[in-house]
Amino acid sequence: MKLAVLVSGNGTNLQSIIDAIKGGYLTDAEISYVVSSNPNALALHRAENNGIRTLIIRRNNMLEELNKIFLQVDIVVLAGFLWVIPDDLLGIKPIINVHPSLLPLFGGKGMYGTKVTEAVIESGMKVSGATVHFVTKDIDGGQIILQKCMEVRDDDTPESLLERTHPLEHQIIVEALRQMSEKKYKIIGKRVIFP
Ligand code: GAR
């Protein structure tokens, strides 16, 4: 299973995929490319340290560059990638995204990082979590592949909640990839079924 991992920032989710491959949790996976929208992303160093090809894209060449990459891999993983994938690129290959809330709550345009966890805290919800889902035209509205929950503490701040959400993201992104590599899944309406 060849992966392209798209990043914009720290790349801790990328790191969890790299570690899962190295550690033998993901046996049938290799990262063919790490693509960044940000030339200064720490994620690029993580890729380079692990001998993975990197590519920096700009808005004006995004469509053609991503199209070339998508054709060469089996799954595209958005791991903190800040740009919206253009509609023309949907449907070439499965694209999955990791998000720091229990979707369909607290997603959508502009919902990123502490904006998400701030909204969770303001809502008064007692639980939060992380979601891995398919990317569709509907921002953060694609079919849910995997979720994990956690408690929202009374003294949580947007920063502390986001920090405690990260380990859940790191777990579910590799679990989702493992399930997708091992099993044929079915998509029935909004549901993803792993038989
Ligand atoms: C993660 O928290 C991910 O859920 C979020 O960006 C962060 C990237 O961290 N993505 C979104 O909010 C997408 N809407 P990382 O660069 O350390 O993996």
Coordinates of all heavy atoms in Angstrom, one line a residue, residues 15-58:
Q15 N 4.7 11.4 11.8 CA 5.7 10.6 12.6 C 5.0 9.3 13.1 O 5.7 8.3 13.1 CB 6.1 11.4 13.8 CG 7.3 10.8 14.5 CD 8.6 10.8 13.7 OE1 9.0 11.8 13.2 NE2 9.2 9.6 13.5
S16 N 3.8 9.3 13.5 CA 3.2 8.1 14.0 C 3.0 7.1 12.9 O 3.2 5.9 13.1 CB 1.8 8.4 14.7 OG 0.8 8.7 13.8
I17 N 2.8 7.5 11.6 CA 2.8 6.6 10.5 C 4.2 6.0 10.2 O 4.3 4.8 10.1 CB 2.2 7.3 9.2 CG1 0.8 7.8 9.5 CG2 2.2 6.3 8.1 CD1 0.2 8.7 8.4
I18 N 5.2 6.9 10.3 CA 6.5 6.4 10.0 C 6.9 5.4 11.1 O 7.4 4.3 10.8 CB 7.5 7.6 10.1 CG1 7.3 8.6 8.9 CG2 9.0 7.1 10.2 CD1 8.1 9.9 9.0
D19 N 6.6 5.7 12.4 CA 6.9 4.8 13.5 C 6.2 3.5 13.3 O 6.7 2.4 13.6 CB 6.6 5.4 14.8 CG 7.5 6.6 15.1 OD1 8.5 6.8 14.4 OD2 7.1 7.4 16.0
A20 N 4.9 3.5 12.9 CA 4.1 2.3 12.8 C 4.7 1.4 11.7 O 4.6 0.2 11.8 CB 2.7 2.7 12.5
I21 N 5.2 2.0 10.6 CA 5.8 1.2 9.5 C 7.1 0.6 10.0 O 7.3 -0.6 9.9 CB 6.0 2.1 8.3 CG1 4.7 2.5 7.7 CG2 6.9 1.4 7.2 CD1 4.8 3.6 6.6
K22 N 7.9 1.5 10.7 CA 9.2 1.0 11.2 C 9.1 -0.1 12.2 O 9.8 -1.0 12.3 CB 10.0 2.1 11.8 CG 10.7 3.0 10.8 CD 11.6 4.0 11.6 CE 12.6 4.7 10.8 NZ 13.2 5.8 11.7
G23 N 8.1 0.1 13.1 CA 7.9 -0.8 14.2 C 7.1 -2.1 13.8 O 6.8 -2.9 14.7
G24 N 6.7 -2.2 12.6 CA 6.0 -3.4 12.1 C 4.5 -3.5 12.4 O 3.9 -4.5 12.2
Y25 N 3.9 -2.4 12.9 CA 2.5 -2.4 13.1 C 1.8 -2.2 11.7 O 0.7 -2.9 11.5 CB 2.1 -1.2 14.0 CG 0.6 -1.1 14.2 CD1 -0.1 -2.0 15.1 CD2 -0.2 -0.2 13.6 CE1 -1.4 -1.9 15.3 CE2 -1.6 -0.1 13.8 CZ -2.2 -1.0 14.7 OH -3.5 -0.9 14.9
L26 N 2.3 -1.4 10.8 CA 1.8 -1.3 9.5 C 2.8 -2.1 8.6 O 3.9 -1.6 8.3 CB 1.7 0.1 9.0 CG 0.6 1.0 9.5 CD1 0.7 2.4 9.0 CD2 -0.7 0.4 9.0
T27 N 2.4 -3.3 8.2 CA 3.4 -4.1 7.5 C 3.3 -3.9 6.0 O 4.3 -3.9 5.3 CB 3.1 -5.6 7.8 OG1 1.7 -5.9 7.6 CG2 3.6 -6.0 9.2
D28 N 2.1 -3.6 5.5 CA 1.9 -3.5 4.1 C 1.8 -2.0 3.7 O 0.9 -1.6 3.0 CB 0.6 -4.3 3.7 CG 0.3 -4.1 2.2 OD1 1.3 -4.0 1.4 OD2 -0.9 -4.1 1.9
A29 N 2.7 -1.2 4.2 CA 2.6 0.2 3.9 C 3.9 0.9 3.7 O 4.9 0.5 4.3 CB 1.8 1.0 5.0
E30 N 4.0 1.8 2.7 CA 5.2 2.6 2.6 C 4.8 4.0 2.2 O 3.8 4.2 1.5 CB 6.2 2.0 1.5 CG 5.6 2.1 0.1 CD 6.6 1.6 -0.9 OE1 7.4 2.4 -1.3 OE2 6.4 0.4 -1.3
I31 N 5.5 5.0 2.7 CA 5.2 6.4 2.3 C 6.0 6.8 1.1 O 7.3 6.8 1.2 CB 5.5 7.3 3.5 CG1 4.8 6.9 4.8 CG2 5.1 8.8 3.1 CD1 5.1 7.7 6.0
S32 N 5.3 7.0 0.0 CA 6.0 7.3 -1.2 C 6.4 8.8 -1.3 O 7.5 9.1 -1.8 CB 5.2 7.0 -2.4 OG 4.8 5.6 -2.4
Y33 N 5.5 9.6 -0.8 CA 5.8 11.0 -0.8 C 5.3 11.7 0.5 O 4.2 11.3 0.9 CB 5.1 11.7 -2.0 CG 5.6 11.4 -3.3 CD1 5.0 10.3 -4.0 CD2 6.7 12.0 -3.9 CE1 5.5 10.0 -5.3 CE2 7.1 11.7 -5.1 CZ 6.5 10.7 -5.8 OH 7.0 10.3 -7.1
V34 N 6.0 12.7 0.9 CA 5.4 13.7 1.9 C 5.3 15.0 1.1 O 6.3 15.5 0.6 CB 6.2 13.8 3.1 CG1 5.8 15.0 4.0 CG2 6.1 12.5 4.0
V35 N 4.1 15.5 1.0 CA 3.9 16.8 0.3 C 3.5 17.9 1.3 O 2.6 17.6 2.1 CB 2.7 16.6 -0.7 CG1 2.5 17.8 -1.5 CG2 3.0 15.4 -1.6
S36 N 4.1 19.0 1.2 CA 3.8 20.1 2.2 C 3.4 21.4 1.5 O 3.9 21.7 0.4 CB 5.1 20.4 3.0 OG 4.8 21.4 3.9
S37 N 2.4 22.0 2.1 CA 2.0 23.3 1.6 C 2.8 24.4 2.2 O 2.7 25.6 1.9 CB 0.5 23.6 2.0 OG 0.4 23.6 3.4
N38 N 3.7 24.0 3.1 CA 4.5 25.0 3.9 C 6.0 24.6 3.8 O 6.4 23.6 4.3 CB 4.0 25.0 5.4 CG 4.9 25.7 6.3 OD1 5.8 26.4 5.9 ND2 4.6 25.6 7.6
P39 N 6.8 25.5 3.2 CA 8.2 25.1 3.0 C 8.9 25.0 4.3 O 10.0 24.4 4.4 CB 8.7 26.3 2.2 CG 7.7 27.4 2.1 CD 6.4 26.8 2.6
N40 N 8.4 25.6 5.4 CA 9.1 25.5 6.7 C 8.5 24.5 7.7 O 8.8 24.5 8.9 CB 9.0 26.9 7.4 CG 9.6 28.0 6.5 OD1 10.7 27.8 6.0 ND2 8.9 29.1 6.4
A41 N 7.7 23.6 7.1 CA 7.0 22.6 8.0 C 8.1 21.7 8.6 O 8.9 21.1 7.9 CB 6.0 21.8 7.2
L42 N 7.9 21.5 9.9 CA 8.8 20.5 10.6 C 8.6 19.1 10.1 O 9.5 18.3 10.1 CB 8.4 20.6 12.1 CG 9.2 19.6 13.1 CD1 10.7 19.9 13.0 CD2 8.7 19.8 14.5
A43 N 7.4 18.9 9.6 CA 7.1 17.6 9.0 C 8.1 17.2 7.8 O 8.4 16.0 7.6 CB 5.7 17.6 8.4
L44 N 8.6 18.2 7.1 CA 9.5 17.9 6.0 C 10.8 17.4 6.6 O 11.4 16.5 6.0 CB 9.8 19.2 5.2 CG 8.6 19.7 4.3 CD1 8.9 21.1 3.8 CD2 8.4 18.8 3.2
H45 N 11.2 17.9 7.7 CA 12.5 17.3 8.3 C 12.2 15.9 8.8 O 13.1 15.0 8.7 CB 12.9 18.2 9.5 CG 13.3 19.5 9.1 ND1 14.5 19.8 8.5 CD2 12.7 20.7 9.3 CE1 14.6 21.1 8.2 NE2 13.5 21.7 8.7
R46 N 11.0 15.6 9.3 CA 10.8 14.2 9.7 C 10.8 13.3 8.5 O 11.4 12.2 8.6 CB 9.4 14.2 10.3 CG 9.2 15.0 11.6 CD 7.7 14.8 12.1 NE 7.4 15.7 13.2 CZ 7.5 15.5 14.5 NH1 8.1 14.3 14.9 NH2 7.1 16.4 15.3
A47 N 10.3 13.7 7.4 CA 10.4 12.9 6.2 C 11.8 12.7 5.7 O 12.3 11.6 5.5 CB 9.6 13.6 5.1
E48 N 12.5 13.8 5.7 CA 13.9 13.8 5.2 C 14.8 12.9 6.1 O 15.6 12.1 5.6 CB 14.5 15.2 5.1 CG 14.1 15.9 3.8 CD 14.1 17.4 3.9 OE1 14.7 17.9 4.9 OE2 13.5 18.1 3.1
N49 N 14.6 13.0 7.4 CA 15.3 12.1 8.3 C 15.0 10.6 8.1 O 15.8 9.8 8.6 CB 14.9 12.5 9.8 CG 15.4 13.8 10.2 OD1 16.3 14.3 9.6 ND2 14.9 14.4 11.3
N50 N 13.9 10.4 7.4 CA 13.6 9.0 7.2 C 13.7 8.6 5.8 O 13.1 7.6 5.3 CB 12.2 8.7 7.8 CG 12.2 8.7 9.3 OD1 12.6 7.7 9.9 ND2 11.8 9.8 9.9
G51 N 14.4 9.4 5.0 CA 14.6 9.0 3.6 C 13.4 9.0 2.7 O 13.4 8.3 1.7
I52 N 12.4 9.8 3.1 CA 11.2 9.9 2.3 C 11.2 11.1 1.4 O 11.6 12.2 1.8 CB 9.9 9.9 3.2 CG1 9.9 8.8 4.2 CG2 8.6 10.0 2.4 CD1 8.9 8.9 5.3
R53 N 10.8 10.8 0.1 CA 10.8 11.9 -0.9 C 9.8 13.0 -0.4 O 8.7 12.7 0.1 CB 10.3 11.4 -2.2 CG 11.4 11.0 -3.1 CD 10.9 10.4 -4.4 NE 10.1 9.1 -4.1 CZ 9.6 8.3 -5.0 NH1 9.8 8.6 -6.3 NH2 9.0 7.2 -4.7
T54 N 10.2 14.3 -0.6 CA 9.4 15.4 -0.2 C 9.1 16.3 -1.4 O 9.9 16.4 -2.3 CB 10.0 16.2 0.9 OG1 11.3 16.8 0.4 CG2 10.2 15.5 2.2
L55 N 8.0 17.0 -1.3 CA 7.6 17.9 -2.3 C 6.9 19.1 -1.7 O 6.0 18.9 -0.8 CB 6.7 17.2 -3.3 CG 6.2 18.0 -4.5 CD1 7.3 18.3 -5.5 CD2 5.0 17.3 -5.2
I56 N 7.3 20.3 -2.0 CA 6.6 21.5 -1.5 C 5.8 22.0 -2.7 O 6.2 22.2 -3.8 CB 7.6 22.6 -1.1 CG1 8.4 22.0 0.1 CG2 6.9 23.9 -0.7 CD1 9.7 22.8 0.3
I57 N 4.5 22.2 -2.4 CA 3.6 22.7 -3.4 C 3.2 24.2 -3.1 O 3.2 24.6 -2.0 CB 2.4 21.8 -3.6 CG1 1.6 21.6 -2.3 CG2 2.7 20.5 -4.2 CD1 0.3 21.0 -2.5
R58 N 2.8 24.9 -4.2 CA 2.3 26.2 -4.1 C 0.8 26.2 -4.6 O 0.4 25.3 -5.3 CB 3.1 27.2 -4.9 CG 4.5 27.4 -4.3 CD 5.1 28.6 -5.0 NE 5.4 28.3 -6.4 CZ 6.6 27.9 -6.8 NH1 7.6 27.7 -6.0 NH2 6.7 27.6 -8.1

